[in-house]
C-alpha cells in the first residue's frame, strides 16, 4: 500500500451469510473494537436484507456499508432486483460489481458489468470492480491480457472524473474461497500491472490515486505480507470477514503506522 497517494480500503464481502440479527451482533462487536487511528477505510458489503440494520448500527462509526450487487436500470419490471438509487437511499456507499461468482453463476457479462458500473456511479455509489483470471488463464500465461480486457470492458465510457470513485479488486478466481492465497509477489505484480493499464486509460494521476485491492483467501495471517506490496491498497475479504475478530485483526494490520 502507499497511503501517500491513495486510500487503503479493507472491505468485507459476506456473500450469502448472516441474518439481520447476526449482522447487528457483528456490527456491535466491530464498532466497539475499532482502532482510533484512521489510516484505512473500512467497508462491510452485506446481504441486501442486512443493509438497514448495518447502516443504523454503524452510522456514527468509520465503517461504510456496501452492497454486493445491483441492477443497472433505475426502476422497472425486474422482479427481485434492486437499483442503485434504492441502495443510495439507504445510505449505502459502495457496491461490489463483477464478482467472479456473479459472472460464473449468474451469467453476468462484461457488458452487464459495464452497465452496472455506470448505474452505481450515476447514483453516487462507489463501485468495487472485481477482475481476475482463472487457473487455466494463469497457467497459459494470459492473465494480464484477460484482466486488461475485463478492465477496458467494465470501464468503457467511465470518465476520468468518475474514475476517482472506482475501486478495483484484483481477485484471482483460483484463490477465492480456496485457502490458496496468491503470494504477495503475485498479488503485487498483477496489482501493479492493473495500475499500468489505468495509467494508459486515464493518465498517471488517476492511476496513482486509484485503490487496488487484493482478494482471494486474504486473512489475518497473510494480510500483512500482502499489504506490504506497494500496489496492494487493501483487501476484499470473504471468509475471514465473517468472524469479527479475524476481520478486526486485518483492519489493525492495515491501520498500522
Ligand atoms: C471474495 O469473495 O471476494 C473473496 C475474496 O473470498 P475469500 O476471502 O473467502 O477468498
Amino acid at each position: 500500500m502507499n497511503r501517500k497517494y491513495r486510500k487503503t480500503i479493507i472491505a468485507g464481502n459476506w456473500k450469502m451469510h448472516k441474518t439481520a440479527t447476526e449482522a447487528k451482533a457483528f456490527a456491535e462487536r466491530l464498532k466497539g473494537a475499532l482502532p482510533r487511528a484512521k489510516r484505512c477505510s473500512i467497508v462491510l458489503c452485506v446481504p441486501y436484507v442486512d443493509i438497514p440494520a448495518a447502516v443504523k448500527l454503524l452510522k456514527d462509526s468509520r465503517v461504510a456499508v456496501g452492497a454486493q450487487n445491483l441492477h443497472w436500470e433505475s426502476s422497472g419490471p425486474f422482479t427481485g432486483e434492486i437499483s442503485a438509487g434504492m441502495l443510495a437511499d439507504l445510505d449505502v456507499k459502495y457496491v461490489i460489481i463483477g464478482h467472479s461468482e456473479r459472472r460464473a453463476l449468474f451469467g453476468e457479462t462484461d457488458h452487464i458489468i459495464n452497465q452496472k458500473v455506470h448505474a452505481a456511479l450515476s447514483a453516487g455509489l462507489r463501485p468495487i470492480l472485481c477482475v481476475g483470471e482463472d487457473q487455466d488463464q494463469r497457467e497459459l500465461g494470459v492473465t494480464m491480457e484477460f484482466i486488461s480486457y475485463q478492465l477496458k470492458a467494465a470501464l468503457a465510457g467511465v470518465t476520468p472524473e468518475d474514475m476517482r470513485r472506482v475501486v478495483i479488486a484484483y481477485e484471482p478466481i483460483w484463490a477465492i474461497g480456496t485457502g490458496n492465497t496468491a503470494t504477495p509477489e503475485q498479488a503485487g505484480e498483477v496489482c501493479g500491472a492493473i495500475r499500468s493499464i489505468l495509467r494508459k486509460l486515464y493518465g498517471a494521476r488517476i492511476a496513482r490515486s486509484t485503490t487496488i485491492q487484493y482478494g482471494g483467501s486474504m486473512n489475518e495471517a497473510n494480510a500483512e505480507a500482502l499489504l506490504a506490496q506497494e500496489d496492494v491498497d487493501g483487501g476484499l475479504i470473504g471468509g475471514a470477514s465473517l468472524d469479527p475478530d479475524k476481520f478486526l485483526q486485518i483492519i489493525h494490520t492495515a491501520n498500522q503506522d
Side-chain angles (χ1 to χ4, degrees), residues 125-191:
L125 301 175
R126 296 194 65 180
I128 300 178
L129 170 65
C130 301
V131 295
E133 81 287 5
D134 65 19
Q135 184 73 46
D136 283 351
Q137 289 158 339
R138 176 155 280 266
E139 281 167 15
L140 289 167
V142 296
T143 295
M144 281 326 300
E145 284 86 344
F146 182 68
I147 291 177
S148 171
Y149 168 78
Q150 283 186 316
L151 282 171
K152 284 181 189 157
L155 296 174
V158 172
T159 62
E161 183 62 23
D162 277 346
M163 190 58 206
R164 294 178 194 281
R165 290 188 289 128
V166 176
V167 175
I168 308 288
Y170 165 51
E171 296 214 309
I173 296 170
W174 47 270
I176 297 177
T178 59
N180 189 15
T181 318
T183 64
E185 293 71 28
Q186 286 171 326
E189 186 188 8
V190 179
C191 290

Side-chain angles (χ1 to χ4, degrees), residues 13 15 99 101 171 175-178 215-218 236-240:
N13 172 17
K15 313 194 188 199
H99 192 283
E101 287 155 13
E171 296 214 309
I176 297 177
T178 59
S217 300
M218 186 188 261
L236 181 56
I237 299 141

Side-chain angles (χ1 to χ4, degrees), residues 66-112:
Q68 301 170 16
N69 186 28
L70 81 177
H71 194 274
W72 60 89
E73 293 289 352
S74 53
S75 62
F78 304 105
T79 303
E81 293 293 325
I82 302 286
S83 72
M86 292 172 184
L87 296 173
D89 184 61
L90 286 179
D91 220 14
V92 166
K93 304 289 186 208
Y94 291 79
V95 59
I96 297 173
I97 298 177
H99 192 283
S100 61
E101 287 155 13
R102 294 216 55 90
R103 292 179 192 256
L105 304 173
F106 301 97
E108 290 199 4
T109 62
D110 291 294
H111 180 61
I112 288 174

